[in-house]
């Protein structure tokens, strides 16, 4: 059937060529002969007003809406917005290290110190705002589910866009991995891809949570295609799929975002494995480390990576574990080995004994109990 949506009404031609009309809440748009440039400019300018952010003062919603306009009434306090323009949605991402680390200062002991005065000023009092909301819930009639962060600490994009930052090296290293015939070298290329992309994702601005069902489509210059969708809101879960150029690889997975607060810091991580598949049947799975933000109450605002990354190639019985900040020891009153910094990381690539007894998460290379035979050990000092 040919589908066209006109101001909340779906016009459909049935098998007899007769036009049907149905009120819709959501529908696909499939124009047989559509003008892409004209389509991309729909409702990007005001229809009957002067405010560039408001489409109309007389209509309930802009065209192609997912709202059922027949059951809604005009609300002057909630006018329909204009749509974002193409140049606001499609833009060239940062490419240089200096651009990624803008507003940060690399500390001697490791980690990144935030020196962006505008950001630090906007984030002042965030903890107090949260405590006020908690107090209302405890002593009043508030709902903990409705506790929210102040909008001033958010960056103007959603998490779907944010997670792409760490994949920018895919056209380089995953393409090389796909062309590699040696399984050990291929594993090294995948490890290089993940670690090289970590610095691209370091930021202290929080992205907005996507709407349930929100999708994102994008790509890289080499022809790599990217598809993301927000499939759950509580807990927040995003699924994704990458198709490498010329179908050299695919990368898929889902991230469940988790946060852990302490007295003066918070730790965030993307829980879940990512799977990279190659045409020859090889599959490599990996898990991301955690990012720690310190100084949320007092002291310098610093960011650094903690925990471990795990890489598994079950077909070739290969495994790699990368430990961040391997020189740290102890608990609350922790210390660091002489010559080590927070930014250091240590990794071991080895033949994997899949039948070894399961153990709790190893925090050090020497704690691993599933090593059949070591292949390569590296300690990187930044």
């Amino acid at each position: 059937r040919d589908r066209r949506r006109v101001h909340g009404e779906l016009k459909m031609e049935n098998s007899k060529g007769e036009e049907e009309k149905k009120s819709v809440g959501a529908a696909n748009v499939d124009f047989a002969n559509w003008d892409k440039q004209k389509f991309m400019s729909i409702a990007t300018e005001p229809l009957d007003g002067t405010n560039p952010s408001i489409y109309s003062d007389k209509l309930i919603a802009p065209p192609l809406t997912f709202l059922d306009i027949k059951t809604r009434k005009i609300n002057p306090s909630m006018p329909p917005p204009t749509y974002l323009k193409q140049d606001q949605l499609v833009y060239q991402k940062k490419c240089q290290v200096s651009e990624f680390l803008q507003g940060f200062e690399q500390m001697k002991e490791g980690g990144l110190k935030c020196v962006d005065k505008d950001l630090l000023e906007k984030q002042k009092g965030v903890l107090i705002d949260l405590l006020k909301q908690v107090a209302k819930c405890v002593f009043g009639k508030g709902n903990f589910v409705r506790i929210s962060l102040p909008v001033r600490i958010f960056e103007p994009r959603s998490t779907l866009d944010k997670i792409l930052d760490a994949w920018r090296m895919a056209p380089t290293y995953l393409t090389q991995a796909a062309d590699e015939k040696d399984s050990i070298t291929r594993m090294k290329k995948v490890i290089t891809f993940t670690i090289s992309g970590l610095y691209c994702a370091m930021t202290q601005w929080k992205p907005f949570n996507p709407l349930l069902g929100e999708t994102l489509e994008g790509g890289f210059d080499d022809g790599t295609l990217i598809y993301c969708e927000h499939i759950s809101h509580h807990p927040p879960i995003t699924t994704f799929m990458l198709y490498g150029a010329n179908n050299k690889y695919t990368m898929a997975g889902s991230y469940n975002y988790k946060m852990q607060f302490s007295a003066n810091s918070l730790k965030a991580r993307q829980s879940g494995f990512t799977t990279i598949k190659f045409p020859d049947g090889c599959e490599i799975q990996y898990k991301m480390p955690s990012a720690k933000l310190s100084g949320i109450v007092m002291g310098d605002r610093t960011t650094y990576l903690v925990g471990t990354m795990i890489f598994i190639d079950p077909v070739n019985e290969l495994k790699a574990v990368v430990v961040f900040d391997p020189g740290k020891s102890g608990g609350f009153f922790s210390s660091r080995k002489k010559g080590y910094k927070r930014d250091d990381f240590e990794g071991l690539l080895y033949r994997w004994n899949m039948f070894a007894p399961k153990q709790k998460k190893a925090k050090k290379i020497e704690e691993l109990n599933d090593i059949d035979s070591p292949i390569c050990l590296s300690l990187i000092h930044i």
Side-chain angles (χ1 to χ4, degrees):
R1 291 188 175 189
D2 181 29
R3 295 169 178 246
R4 295 179 179 87
R5 189 193 309 167
V6 183
H7 293 274
E9 189 175 76
L10 183 64
K11 294 185 177 180
M12 305 179 66
E13 290 185 0
N14 59 28
S15 58
K16 297 180 180 179
E18 298 172 345
E19 190 175 79
E20 300 175 350
K21 295 183 180 181
K22 293 185 178 180
S23 176
V24 295
N28 295 323
V29 177
D30 184 14
F31 297 106
N33 297 298
W34 70 315
D35 185 331
K36 182 177 179 181
Q37 294 302 321
K38 185 177 181 180
F39 180 79
M40 291 299 181
S41 63
I42 290 177
T44 57
E45 300 291 342
L47 180 67
D48 51 30
T50 58
N51 189 328
S53 299
I54 297 177
Y55 177 66
S56 173
D57 294 321
K58 302 175 182 177
L59 298 178
I60 296 173
L64 307 179
T65 180
F66 280 74
L67 299 174
D68 185 350
I69 62 173
K70 291 185 177 181
T71 61
R72 299 177 69 92
K73 295 181 180 180
I74 295 178
N75 185 344
S77 65
M78 297 176 63
T82 51
Y83 293 142
L84 295 176
K85 296 180 180 180
Q86 183 71 355
D87 58 356
Q88 294 175 290
L89 295 169
V90 181
Y91 58 92
Q92 187 69 36
K93 287 183 175 290
K94 300 174 183 178
C95 298
Q96 303 299 322
V97 176
S98 58
E99 294 178 307
F100 291 120
L101 302 184
Q102 186 175 7
F104 285 107
E105 180 183 291
Q106 195 164 2
M107 303 177 68
K108 292 182 179 180
E109 63 273 25
L112 297 172
K113 176 183 175 182
C114 182
V115 293
D116 186 332
K117 294 182 180 179
D118 179 56
L119 171 60
L120 293 173
E121 182 64 29
K122 287 182 177 179
Q123 291 187 352
K124 277 184 179 179
V126 171
L127 184 63
I128 295 176
D129 288 345
L130 290 175
L131 290 176
K132 287 180 179 178
Q133 293 184 65
V134 172
K136 288 182 180 179
C137 293
V138 174
F139 302 106
K141 297 181 180 180
N143 189 334
F144 280 101
V145 176
R146 297 189 177 276
I147 291 179
S148 60
L149 293 170
V151 72
R152 65 178 182 272
I153 69 169
F154 287 79
E155 58 179 323
R157 58 175 178 163
S158 80
T159 305
L160 295 186
D161 192 347
K162 169 73 174 177
I163 63 175
L164 269 62
D165 292 352
W167 301 338
R168 297 184 192 188
M169 301 301 178
T172 300
Y173 294 114
L174 289 188
T175 300
Q176 293 177 9
D179 293 336
E180 186 58 57
K181 302 301 181 183
D182 180 67
S183 59
I184 294 177
T185 305
R186 175 179 282 175
M187 174 68 94
K188 291 179 180 179
K189 295 289 186 181
V190 171
I191 296 172
T192 304
F193 153 68
T194 57
I195 293 180
S196 63
L198 289 175
Y199 75 88
C200 304
M202 300 301 287
T203 176
Q204 293 201 9
W205 291 101
K206 184 190 181 306
F208 284 94
N209 289 336
L211 299 174
L212 184 61
E214 181 178 331
T215 62
L216 178 145
E217 298 179 19
F220 294 124
D221 291 340
D222 71 329
T224 298
L225 299 176
I226 305 170
Y227 302 93
C228 304
E229 181 176 359
H230 193 61
I231 63 170
S232 173
H233 204 61
H234 294 292
I237 299 176
T238 294
T239 60
F240 55 87
M241 186 79 184
L242 273 73
Y243 294 91
N246 301 315
N247 295 318
K248 287 193 171 184
Y249 64 88
T250 62
M251 187 174 83
S254 62
Y255 288 151
N256 183 354
Y257 306 100
K258 297 184 177 180
M259 278 191 170
Q260 180 181 347
F261 288 87
S262 61
N264 193 37
S265 65
L266 66 85
K267 187 163 60 174
R269 66 187 179 94
Q270 298 170 340
S271 176
F273 272 99
T274 299
T275 301
I276 304 173
K277 295 183 179 181
F278 300 97
D280 61 3
C282 175
E283 294 185 11
I284 297 178
Q285 301 174 344
Y286 71 88
K287 182 177 287 188
M288 296 287 285
S290 299
K292 191 170 184 179
L293 176 65
S294 296
I296 59 176
V297 178
M298 58 183 178
D300 292 330
R301 187 74 56 80
T302 59
T303 307
Y304 49 95
L305 297 168
V306 295
T308 60
M309 291 190 78
I310 300 173
F311 301 83
I312 298 174
D313 177 357
V315 174
N316 297 291
E317 297 183 2
L318 293 175
K319 186 174 180 179
V321 176
V322 178
V323 178
F324 291 87
D325 195 4
K328 183 180 178 179
S329 60
F332 185 79
F333 298 100
S334 60
S335 60
R336 190 167 283 104
K337 293 179 183 178
K338 186 177 181 180
Y340 284 76
K341 298 191 300 182
R342 285 175 175 169
D343 297 331
D344 296 340
F345 56 93
E346 182 180 31
L348 176 67
L349 173 60
Y350 57 94
R351 293 289 178 187
W352 175 33
N353 179 6
M354 294 186 288
F355 302 103
K358 289 186 178 180
Q359 67 174 146
K360 292 183 178 180
K361 190 174 181 180
K363 297 182 179 180
K364 302 288 183 181
I365 295 295
E366 53 268 24
E367 296 176 2
L368 296 170
N369 71 340
D370 58 355
I371 300 174
D372 188 19
S373 58
I375 298 173
C376 176
L377 175 66
S378 296
L379 174 61
I380 308 298
H381 291 287
I382 303 300

